[in-house]
Amino acid sequence: MATFKGLAMLGYNTIGWIEKEAPKCGPNDALCRPLALSPCTSDVHTVWEGALGDRHDLILGHEASAEVIEVGSLVKDFKAGDKVIIPAITPDWQSVEAQMGYSQHSGGMLNGWKFSNVKDGVFGECFHVNEADGNLAHLPEGIDISDAVMLSDMVPTGFHGANLAEVEYGDTVVVVGIGPVGLMAVAGSVLRGAGRVFAVGARKHCQEVARYYGATDIVNYREGDIVKQILEATNGKFVDKVILAGGDVDTFDQAIKLVRRGGIVSNVNYLGTGDYIKIPRLDWGLGMGHICVIGGLMPGGRKNMEYLSELLVHGRLDVSPLLTHRFSKFEDVEEALLMMKDKTEDLIKPVVTL
Amino acid sequence: MATFKGLAMLGYNTIGWIEKEAPKCGPNDALCRPLALSPCTSDVHTVWEGALGDRHDLILGHEASAEVIEVGSLVKDFKAGDKVIIPAITPDWQSVEAQMGYSQHSGGMLNGWKFSNVKDGVFGECFHVNEADGNLAHLPEGIDISDAVMLSDMVPTGFHGANLAEVEYGDTVVVVGIGPVGLMAVAGSVLRGAGRVFAVGARKHCQEVARYYGATDIVNYREGDIVKQILEATNGKFVDKVILAGGDVDTFDQAIKLVRRGGIVSNVNYLGTGDYIKIPRLDWGLGMGHICVIGGLMPGGRKNMEYLSELLVHGRLDVSPLLTHRFSKFEDVEEALLMMKDKTEDLIKPVVTL
Amino acid sequence: MATFKGLAMLGYNTIGWIEKEAPKCGPNDALCRPLALSPCTSDVHTVWEGALGDRHDLILGHEASAEVIEVGSLVKDFKAGDKVIIPAITPDWQSVEAQMGYSQHSGGMLNGWKFSNVKDGVFGECFHVNEADGNLAHLPEGIDISDAVMLSDMVPTGFHGANLAEVEYGDTVVVVGIGPVGLMAVAGSVLRGAGRVFAVGARKHCQEVARYYGATDIVNYREGDIVKQILEATNGKFVDKVILAGGDVDTFDQAIKLVRRGGIVSNVNYLGTGDYIKIPRLDWGLGMGHICVIGGLMPGGRKNMEYLSELLVHGRLDVSPLLTHRFSKFEDVEEALLMMKDKTEDLIKPVVTL
Amino acid sequence: MATFKGLAMLGYNTIGWIEKEAPKCGPNDALCRPLALSPCTSDVHTVWEGALGDRHDLILGHEASAEVIEVGSLVKDFKAGDKVIIPAITPDWQSVEAQMGYSQHSGGMLNGWKFSNVKDGVFGECFHVNEADGNLAHLPEGIDISDAVMLSDMVPTGFHGANLAEVEYGDTVVVVGIGPVGLMAVAGSVLRGAGRVFAVGARKHCQEVARYYGATDIVNYREGDIVKQILEATNGKFVDKVILAGGDVDTFDQAIKLVRRGGIVSNVNYLGTGDYIKIPRLDWGLGMGHICVIGGLMPGGRKNMEYLSELLVHGRLDVSPLLTHRFSKFEDVEEALLMMKDKTEDLIKPVVTL
């Protein structure tokens, strides 16, 4: 393949199809062609909010399942023809950051995020994966290629929220935001043993899906202050953990007001604007209340894909309710992306199966 | 109540009903009368295997839900008439061990276990609970008094096995033993996010219930070496964690042979005989394989009861499949205990509701 | 002792000596008389800044070593005449919070702090200790009664900062503030294996003592922005951990700008004013940088006292450089307290040995 | 360099100098020439005890500091001429095991150990380092090239023992074995905040050096049962942690008998013989005593080298007392190795500086 076609950010506010030279496959790398694709709200941020600054002819997308078409000479565990899961985050595994357990920041803050950021993304007929042995995972038998796309970002990001929150048996958890990541934070909390789970969001269909994934209480922020609503429901008892998969820099204030001493506020929401996250001093115990505030990008890499895919294989998690809109041609990824931009009431995620 | 009746170990191999003076209620303590009771295999060990040495007129039992009939002057959160969950383990909360996070060993190895060990158990018309504020939990609305009895020991012990094993999303877990504790270790593993779960046991009904709680594979030790059976099923891949809720000192050898580097073998099985647990040197990586071997008594106390009961309240866990045999008179606890001794094929746990 | 004398907060801005009825010793409790005392900056906050609101005739002080004069009927490990270490924080050990590992918040935010807060403090001829078995520690042979006073608050608070920061071998640590708590955070960091340690403070004598405790670099905030100074010294490399033992709500902004991905900002500084702690969004990785922000009151109780005192017994830690001013009569505690209010250049801590 | 000379295991029981073709430098790799070398007891095990089976013409050695002579095309952070620290363990960083935090087992049990195991070691004029960016560390200014050799294995192995034992402030720790690894386990325990440290060993000079590194009590196993000696010294109180850096499979029995509930027995000793490690059932709390048994190979890689070297740079650790015998010619490595085989009373480690 000398050249290939892909859906790109042409510049601020503009997308379009472009033709590019095929990437080179280094000794540790792989080239893949997509089997299924899904746009992400981050793609929308990138193009229409300039989240990464202005970019020209950058192919978009970081959620895909794929088939390997070429591997480098040092790749041991994958070969052309293999069907694979691709994580959105593909770290440099030799980096000191990866050795410390923070591979998503290999080489610098958030630098494990390469697709549609520091190189072309997966919305092309062909795309490049660095360190294939460390960043691909074999697609297990029994996982549908569309479902597999949810393992790229939605499942690991939502579940990372539950992991950062260290959800334990019987915890009462609040999940703010019930887009696909928030829904996976609900599912991930339940799969770590949460008891009561409050899901905060306004869209009807998402509320239903939140209940499907185990939310016990739905809180609509349009119907009043969420702190008041939740503490009324608990008779004033603080919750154990809050996972932020929506809201903005001001939502932390509410989160701190909800959580008990020794509790955790964990964020997996991209905070696009605002100078400061503000932690209310009194509710934070004058600095001495043992309320941990932490936020992080999902961990990428093969291990995470392999373990999360086990949950699909063994029926612990069904991601199909996330896939509300389905397309079947490569070119449809454009319509799918625009759909993600103009979120309709019943949209969770569109997926394009090739 | 000047005196009360209870089912006691009269001496080695003998049980019978005795009349005792009512215990005194210290300032921190409570007296309770049972609402529901269940015998445990440990009671069988105590009477017919002399596990605790010879005992005379010791009232048996450590699994009960109850009603408070009296509280001491310093008790703040409970009063006569309250319905409560009683943990089998009732630590001394001021002890240094409790302050270290090992309340079950408050005052010495296993010394948080007081009922039918260092004092009369719960198979009496009245029983004593030390440090009521720390060791009772209010029975939440919606939890049946029979179900609540499973929170005394079976749920926390099985779930402690999963906690010690640090089960994570997608882990492959082997649970050895599918009596009530093993079944709860299966359920507890699934509720911590396990993927594939092998349940090892021979009894048909228990196998079915293991599948109900999420076991994906049943391994019958009567049909061959379990190591061979499991590694065949995984194509030779080691499992992440092994939880021992059955077997004996020799089962550790098999467990080590199953588990990966960085994996954990966790034991919640009472090891009644044998001089040594033996860890095979080669499989343990010549001492350098990072396979952790740990075992522990369930944590007692109020917090654990409160959090585990949330799982019942919110429908995450249904313990009723454990309750295979039901009785309705206090005196039936004798028959229930004998039933536990002579385990029939279809028995998991008998429960007596008063 | 029918009545006793003590140094009290009479009202906002006023201290004085008062006579009070001796406290009653409950069954779990002890009464003590001080052997050595030290005022704390918190006492200053209480009286002259109204940190706890207005209080009348509240005896001050929470740092003391003492002799037991009476114990309750249920106390097992202490008796009149025993010499003891008294932690500033004396939790209710049966509380659910203590069972969760947050005993300092037993019964509510910061409620493990009882002396000179919810009851009379230690600046009396006699004072009351709740739950003596859980909250006293025997004074080991070889620890001076004045040194022992530093175990009440200064050592455990500073060391808690290093614990919350999870200092590891070779970590580069910044400690902001080099009053007695900051100095103990320096010592505690070194005793957890820190490599390079930056100590931020302006007072000359404290800088010298910081070097004594292992600070490798002294940063004077009066000589320029500390972020700039420190990143220049490291050639732009972020530090691993920041411990805040000084500064105010605005210092968190600087701390976040210093710390690496996966790093921790830990606070043990009482934040007396300001509505919000502000976390800079960009430096916090847009919410995804894995920089943990945590703050907490020191853990109280016997276990902590026993283990920290081992460091003095075995010569790992010498607290005597903290004791810059020494007094020898009970009444001198007033002068010592005023000295703490009007901090002179060379003051770290005054101590009164009786 | 077409060929190079090295000290090899010629076959079981035999060593000698051989000439080999220079290794090829893959795109991720580096070639190095040693600056300083030290033989290890493992080399002795390999040659004279056949620990790795029979090997022919395998160049020995895994402890070295070095100069880079060539790097592969993908190596970013190192170039010819750089002075480097070389860890004994050089993992494959893309492996799933490394992503799990067990890089030392990348690709299989202990497979991160490559030098003088799966490929030629460092006792050659030239040697090959896989994944240079992940497995080399720049030698910081101020660290002597001889001292740096102790960072290859002795420091990280001993300190790993203290890390696995999770030594905390004030812990009482027993270190069994006071060869170089045991001595570093003593130093590592003290640098994690240990209080009392028992060092178990018989050789006089090593006992002195153990005291230098912070051991408070020396226990000579030739003078009686070590369990009895230690429990006498503690008045029967169990210790918090035991680190095994010596002894054999039977030493675990003693370790378990020493350690408290919730304590840890950590092993960093290569267990060369014996079928089973035996854990005494009763002392292990009948399987329920929460005594963790864990053992592991040191973690390799760049991050560990960088952080441990900070301890030397900032004067927290002085390894020079380990270097009891010094040589200055490459060929002297043979004598140094034989010296390691026939340990004299005053030997800790010989080092050859080129």
Side-chain angles (χ1 to χ4, degrees):
Chain A
M1 196 185 308
T3 65
F4 72 102
K5 199 173 72 167
L7 181 65
M9 174 175 180
L10 303 180
Y12 190 62
N13 262 336
T14 329
I15 59 170
W17 291 91
I18 59 170
E19 193 85 17
K20 278 207 168 181
E21 259 185 74
K24 279 194 184 127
C25 185
N28 301 309
D29 307 337
L31 300 186
C32 296
R33 67 169 189 86
L35 294 172
L37 292 169
S38 184
C40 175
T41 303
S42 309
D43 294 305
V44 175
H45 290 316
T46 300
V47 178
W48 289 280
E49 298 172 17
L52 305 174
D54 202 1
R55 300 296 179 99
H56 294 274
D57 296 348
L58 176 77
I59 292 179
L60 294 162
H62 51 262
E63 300 186 27
S65 58
E67 184 181 307
V68 175
I69 53 180
E70 185 184 341
V71 297
S73 57
L74 297 173
V75 174
K76 289 177 294 189
D77 298 343
F78 297 88
K79 61 181 191 309
D82 285 354
K83 291 185 178 170
V84 290
I85 306 172
I86 320 274
I89 307 302
T90 53
D92 303 308
W93 288 102
Q94 291 188 54
S95 65
V96 168
E97 290 86 357
Q99 294 185 21
M100 283 171 143
Y102 294 96
S103 61
Q104 52 278 79
H105 305 296
S106 61
M109 182 85 86
L110 311 181
N111 279 8
W113 178 21
K114 299 184 185 301
F115 290 128
S116 67
N117 184 6
V118 301
K119 69 175 181 184
D120 283 323
V122 301
F123 292 172
E125 291 164 319
C126 168
F127 60 85
H128 171 269
V129 179
N130 58 301
E131 303 196 6
D133 279 330
N135 286 322
L136 295 176
H138 290 286
L139 181 72
E141 260 185 74
I143 297 189
D144 178 82
I145 54 172
S146 303
D147 287 357
V149 180
M150 293 301 97
L151 291 168
S152 296
D153 188 349
M154 299 300 98
V155 177
T157 298
F159 278 48
H160 191 51
N163 274 339
L164 288 178
E166 299 175 18
V167 175
E168 294 181 9
Y169 292 138
D171 271 358
T172 296
V173 178
V174 174
V175 176
V176 177
I178 50 175
V181 167
L183 291 169
M184 287 303 94
V186 170
S189 294
V190 171
L191 272 175
R192 279 188 68 119
R196 191 170 192 176
V197 176
F198 290 87
V200 178
R203 291 196 295 157
K204 268 263 138 23
H205 181 61
C206 292
Q207 291 178 347
E208 278 162 35
V209 179
R211 284 201 186 277
Y212 168 82
Y213 282 120
T216 53
D217 300 73
I218 303 294
V219 177
N220 189 337
Y221 53 83
R222 293 191 185 138
E223 295 173 4
D225 177 43
I226 66 168
V227 175
K228 212 178 144 217
Q229 288 186 68
I230 293 170
L231 292 182
E232 263 174 29
T234 64
N235 293 317
K237 205 181 160 190
F238 293 114
V239 306
D240 296 289
K241 312 289 167 65
V242 176
I243 305 174
L244 300 177
D248 56 26
V249 292
D250 292 328
T251 315
F252 287 78
D253 187 0
Q254 298 174 299
I256 297 288
K257 287 182 164 116
L258 283 168
V259 84
R260 68 163 165 84
R261 277 69 61 178
I264 298 174
V265 175
S266 103
N267 181 70
V268 287
N269 186 30
Y270 177 95
L271 300 169
T273 53
D275 287 338
Y276 287 101
I277 290 94
K278 286 182 285 179
I279 300 179
R281 181 182 63 90
L282 285 173
D283 303 286
W284 207 53
L286 308 98
M288 299 188 296
H290 290 97
I291 295 175
C292 174
V293 182
I294 178 88
L297 183 67
M298 64 164 266
R302 177 175 178 176
K303 184 263 166 187
N304 201 29
M305 293 299 103
E306 286 186 357
Y307 275 71
L308 292 176
S309 68
E310 287 287 294
L311 298 174
L312 272 68
V313 168
H314 297 289
R316 309 299 185 199
L317 175 69
D318 177 5
V319 295
S320 62
L322 297 180
L323 304 175
T324 50
H325 295 71
R326 291 172 185 267
F327 297 87
S328 60
K329 293 198 314 290
F330 179 46
E331 289 71 20
D332 293 336
V333 76
E334 184 172 4
E335 185 179 342
L337 176 57
L338 292 170
M339 182 175 269
M340 207 67 195
K341 174 168 171 271
D342 310 313
K343 273 178 194 146
T344 52
E345 176 69 24
D346 60 344
L347 178 82
I348 299 176
K349 286 285 282 193
V351 67
V352 182
T353 311
L354 278 70
Chain B
M1 195 185 309
T3 64
F4 73 101
K5 197 173 76 166
L7 181 66
M9 174 174 179
L10 303 181
Y12 190 61
N13 261 337
T14 329
I15 61 171
W17 292 91
I18 61 172
E19 193 87 12
K20 278 209 167 180
E21 258 184 77
K24 278 194 185 129
C25 184
N28 301 310
D29 306 337
L31 300 186
C32 296
R33 68 168 188 84
L35 295 173
L37 292 169
S38 184
C40 176
T41 304
S42 308
D43 294 306
V44 175
H45 291 316
T46 300
V47 178
W48 289 280
E49 299 172 18
L52 306 175
D54 203 0
R55 300 296 179 97
H56 294 275
D57 296 348
L58 175 78
I59 293 181
L60 293 162
H62 52 263
E63 299 185 28
S65 58
E67 185 181 307
V68 175
I69 53 182
E70 185 184 342
V71 297
S73 57
L74 297 173
V75 174
K76 289 176 297 187
D77 298 342
F78 298 88
K79 60 180 192 310
D82 285 353
K83 291 185 177 171
V84 290
I85 307 172
I86 320 273
I89 307 302
T90 54
D92 303 309
W93 288 103
Q94 290 188 55
S95 66
V96 168
E97 290 87 356
Q99 294 185 23
M100 283 171 143
Y102 294 97
S103 61
Q104 52 278 78
H105 305 296
S106 61
M109 182 84 88
L110 311 181
N111 278 11
W113 177 22
K114 299 185 184 303
F115 289 128
S116 67
N117 183 7
V118 301
K119 70 174 181 186
D120 282 324
V122 301
F123 292 171
E125 290 165 318
C126 168
F127 60 88
H128 172 269
V129 179
N130 59 301
E131 303 197 6
D133 279 330
N135 286 323
L136 295 176
H138 290 286
L139 181 70
E141 261 186 72
I143 297 188
D144 179 82
I145 54 171
S146 304
D147 287 357
V149 181
M150 293 302 98
L151 290 168
S152 296
D153 187 350
M154 300 299 101
V155 177
T157 297
F159 278 47
H160 191 51
N163 274 339
L164 288 178
E166 299 175 18
V167 175
E168 295 181 9
Y169 292 139
D171 271 358
T172 296
V173 178
V174 173
V175 176
V176 178
I178 51 175
V181 168
L183 291 168
M184 287 302 95
V186 169
S189 295
V190 171
L191 271 174
R192 278 188 67 121
R196 192 172 191 175
V197 175
F198 291 87
V200 179
R203 290 197 296 158
K204 265 267 140 17
H205 181 61
C206 292
Q207 291 178 347
E208 277 162 36
V209 179
R211 284 199 186 276
Y212 168 83
Y213 282 120
T216 53
D217 300 74
I218 303 294
V219 177
N220 188 336
Y221 54 82
R222 292 190 187 139
E223 296 173 4
D225 178 43
I226 65 169
V227 175
K228 211 178 144 217
Q229 288 185 69
I230 293 170
L231 291 183
E232 263 173 29
T234 64
N235 294 316
K237 207 182 159 190
F238 293 114
V239 306
D240 294 290
K241 312 289 168 62
V242 175
I243 304 173
L244 300 177
D248 56 26
V249 291
D250 293 327
T251 315
F252 287 77
D253 187 1
Q254 298 174 297
I256 297 287
K257 287 181 163 117
L258 283 168
V259 85
R260 69 162 164 85
R261 277 69 60 177
I264 298 175
V265 174
S266 104
N267 180 70
V268 287
N269 186 30
Y270 176 95
L271 300 170
T273 54
D275 288 337
Y276 287 100
I277 290 96
K278 285 182 286 179
I279 299 179
R281 182 182 62 90
L282 285 174
D283 303 286
W284 207 52
L286 307 96
M288 298 188 296
H290 290 97
I291 295 174
C292 174
V293 182
I294 178 87
L297 184 66
M298 65 164 266
R302 178 176 179 176
K303 185 264 165 184
N304 202 29
M305 293 298 104
E306 287 186 357
Y307 275 72
L308 292 176
S309 68
E310 286 288 294
L311 298 175
L312 272 68
V313 168
H314 297 290
R316 310 296 185 201
L317 175 68
D318 178 5
V319 296
S320 63
L322 297 180
L323 304 174
T324 50
H325 295 72
R326 290 171 185 270
F327 297 87
S328 59
K329 294 199 313 289
F330 179 46
E331 289 72 19
D332 294 336
V333 77
E334 183 171 4
E335 185 179 342
L337 175 58
L338 293 170
M339 182 174 271
M340 206 68 195
K341 173 167 172 271
D342 310 312
K343 273 179 193 145
T344 52
E345 176 69 22
D346 60 345
L347 179 82
I348 299 177
K349 286 285 283 191
V351 67
V352 182
T353 312
L354 278 70
Chain C
M1 196 186 311
T3 63
F4 72 103
K5 198 173 74 166
L7 180 67
M9 173 175 180
L10 303 181
Y12 189 61
N13 262 337
T14 330
I15 60 171
W17 291 92
I18 61 172
E19 193 87 15
K20 279 207 165 181
E21 259 185 74
K24 278 194 185 127
C25 185
N28 302 308
D29 306 337
L31 300 186
C32 296
R33 68 170 188 85
L35 294 174
L37 292 169
S38 185
C40 176
T41 304
S42 308
D43 294 304
V44 176
H45 291 316
T46 300
V47 178
W48 288 279
E49 300 172 15
L52 306 173
D54 202 1
R55 301 296 180 96
H56 295 273
D57 297 349
L58 176 76
I59 292 180
L60 294 161
H62 51 262
E63 301 184 27
S65 60
E67 184 181 308
V68 175
I69 54 181
E70 184 183 342
V71 297
S73 57
L74 298 173
V75 174
K76 289 176 295 187
D77 299 342
F78 297 88
K79 60 181 192 309
D82 286 353
K83 291 186 177 169
V84 291
I85 306 171
I86 320 273
I89 308 301
T90 54
D92 303 309
W93 287 103
Q94 290 188 54
S95 66
V96 168
E97 289 87 357
Q99 294 185 22
M100 285 170 143
Y102 294 96
S103 61
Q104 53 276 79
H105 306 295
S106 62
M109 183 85 86
L110 312 181
N111 278 9
W113 177 21
K114 300 185 186 302
F115 290 128
S116 67
N117 182 7
V118 302
K119 70 174 181 184
D120 282 325
V122 301
F123 292 171
E125 291 164 318
C126 167
F127 60 87
H128 171 268
V129 179
N130 59 301
E131 303 197 6
D133 279 329
N135 286 323
L136 294 177
H138 290 286
L139 181 71
E141 260 185 75
I143 297 188
D144 178 81
I145 55 171
S146 304
D147 286 357
V149 181
M150 293 303 97
L151 290 168
S152 296
D153 188 349
M154 299 300 100
V155 177
T157 297
F159 278 48
H160 191 49
N163 273 339
L164 287 178
E166 299 175 18
V167 175
E168 295 181 8
Y169 291 138
D171 271 358
T172 296
V173 178
V174 174
V175 175
V176 177
I178 50 176
V181 168
L183 291 169
M184 287 302 96
V186 169
S189 295
V190 171
L191 271 175
R192 278 187 68 119
R196 191 171 191 176
V197 176
F198 290 87
V200 179
R203 291 197 295 158
K204 267 265 139 19
H205 181 61
C206 292
Q207 291 177 349
E208 277 162 37
V209 179
R211 283 200 187 277
Y212 168 82
Y213 282 122
T216 53
D217 300 74
I218 303 294
V219 178
N220 189 336
Y221 53 82
R222 293 189 185 140
E223 296 173 3
D225 177 45
I226 64 168
V227 175
K228 211 179 144 217
Q229 288 186 68
I230 293 169
L231 292 183
E232 263 174 28
T234 65
N235 292 316
K237 207 182 159 191
F238 294 114
V239 306
D240 295 290
K241 313 288 168 63
V242 176
I243 305 173
L244 300 177
D248 56 27
V249 291
D250 293 327
T251 315
F252 287 78
D253 187 0
Q254 299 174 298
I256 297 288
K257 287 183 164 114
L258 283 168
V259 84
R260 68 163 165 85
R261 277 70 60 177
I264 298 173
V265 174
S266 104
N267 181 70
V268 288
N269 186 31
Y270 177 94
L271 300 169
T273 54
D275 289 337
Y276 287 100
I277 289 95
K278 286 183 286 179
I279 299 179
R281 182 183 62 91
L282 285 174
D283 303 287
W284 207 51
L286 308 97
M288 299 187 296
H290 289 97
I291 295 175
C292 175
V293 182
I294 178 87
L297 183 67
M298 65 164 265
R302 177 175 179 177
K303 184 262 165 187
N304 202 29
M305 292 299 104
E306 287 186 356
Y307 275 72
L308 291 176
S309 69
E310 286 288 295
L311 298 174
L312 272 67
V313 168
H314 297 289
R316 310 297 186 199
L317 176 68
D318 177 5
V319 296
S320 64
L322 298 180
L323 305 174
T324 50
H325 295 71
R326 292 170 184 270
F327 297 88
S328 60
K329 296 200 310 293
F330 179 46
E331 290 71 19
D332 294 336
V333 77
E334 184 172 3
E335 184 180 343
L337 175 58
L338 293 170
M339 182 176 270
M340 206 67 193
K341 174 167 171 272
D342 310 313
K343 272 179 195 144
T344 51
E345 176 69 23
D346 61 343
L347 178 82
I348 299 177
K349 288 284 283 191
V351 67
V352 182
T353 311
L354 279 69
Chain D
M1 196 185 307
T3 64
F4 72 102
K5 198 172 76 167
L7 180 66
M9 172 173 181
L10 303 180
Y12 190 60
N13 262 336
T14 329
I15 60 170
W17 291 91
I18 60 171
E19 193 86 15
K20 278 207 167 182
E21 258 184 74
K24 280 197 182 123
C25 184
N28 301 310
D29 307 337
L31 300 187
C32 296
R33 68 169 189 85
L35 295 173
L37 293 169
S38 184
C40 176
T41 304
S42 308
D43 294 305
V44 175
H45 291 316
T46 300
V47 177
W48 288 280
E49 298 172 19
L52 306 174
D54 202 359
R55 299 297 179 97
H56 294 274
D57 296 348
L58 176 77
I59 293 180
L60 293 163
H62 51 263
E63 300 186 27
S65 58
E67 184 182 307
V68 175
I69 52 180
E70 185 184 341
V71 298
S73 57
L74 298 173
V75 173
K76 289 177 295 188
D77 298 343
F78 296 88
K79 60 180 191 310
D82 285 354
K83 289 185 178 171
V84 291
I85 306 172
I86 319 273
I89 307 301
T90 54
D92 302 309
W93 288 102
Q94 290 189 54
S95 65
V96 168
E97 290 86 357
Q99 295 185 23
M100 284 171 143
Y102 294 97
S103 61
Q104 51 278 79
H105 305 295
S106 62
M109 182 85 86
L110 312 182
N111 278 9
W113 177 21
K114 299 184 187 303
F115 290 128
S116 67
N117 183 6
V118 301
K119 70 174 180 185
D120 282 323
V122 301
F123 292 171
E125 290 164 318
C126 167
F127 60 87
H128 172 268
V129 179
N130 59 303
E131 303 198 5
D133 278 330
N135 286 323
L136 294 177
H138 290 286
L139 181 71
E141 262 184 72
I143 298 189
D144 179 82
I145 54 171
S146 303
D147 287 357
V149 181
M150 294 301 97
L151 290 168
S152 296
D153 187 350
M154 299 300 99
V155 177
T157 297
F159 278 48
H160 191 50
N163 273 338
L164 288 178
E166 299 175 18
V167 175
E168 295 180 8
Y169 292 138
D171 271 358
T172 296
V173 178
V174 174
V175 176
V176 178
I178 50 174
V181 167
L183 291 169
M184 287 302 95
V186 169
S189 295
V190 171
L191 270 176
R192 279 188 66 120
R196 191 171 193 175
V197 176
F198 291 88
V200 179
R203 291 195 295 158
K204 267 265 141 17
H205 181 60
C206 292
Q207 291 178 347
E208 278 162 37
V209 179
R211 284 200 187 276
Y212 168 82
Y213 283 120
T216 53
D217 300 74
I218 302 294
V219 177
N220 188 337
Y221 54 82
R222 293 194 186 135
E223 295 172 5
D225 177 44
I226 65 169
V227 175
K228 211 177 145 219
Q229 288 186 69
I230 293 170
L231 292 183
E232 263 174 29
T234 65
N235 293 316
K237 206 182 160 190
F238 294 114
V239 305
D240 295 290
K241 312 288 167 63
V242 176
I243 304 173
L244 300 177
D248 56 26
V249 292
D250 292 328
T251 315
F252 287 77
D253 187 0
Q254 298 173 298
I256 297 287
K257 287 181 164 116
L258 283 168
V259 85
R260 68 162 164 85
R261 278 69 60 179
I264 297 174
V265 174
S266 104
N267 180 70
V268 287
N269 186 29
Y270 176 95
L271 300 169
T273 54
D275 288 338
Y276 288 101
I277 288 95
K278 285 183 284 178
I279 299 180
R281 182 182 63 90
L282 286 174
D283 303 285
W284 206 53
L286 308 96
M288 298 188 296
H290 289 96
I291 295 174
C292 175
V293 182
I294 178 87
L297 183 66
M298 65 164 264
R302 177 175 177 176
K303 185 262 166 186
N304 202 30
M305 292 300 103
E306 286 186 358
Y307 276 71
L308 292 176
S309 67
E310 287 287 294
L311 298 174
L312 272 67
V313 167
H314 297 290
R316 310 299 185 199
L317 176 68
D318 177 5
V319 295
S320 63
L322 297 180
L323 304 175
T324 50
H325 295 70
R326 292 171 185 267
F327 297 87
S328 59
K329 294 198 314 290
F330 180 46
E331 289 69 20
D332 293 337
V333 77
E334 183 171 4
E335 184 178 342
L337 176 59
L338 293 170
M339 182 176 269
M340 206 68 194
K341 174 169 171 270
D342 309 312
K343 273 178 194 146
T344 52
E345 177 68 23
D346 60 346
L347 178 82
I348 300 178
K349 287 284 283 192
V351 67
V352 181
T353 311
L354 279 70

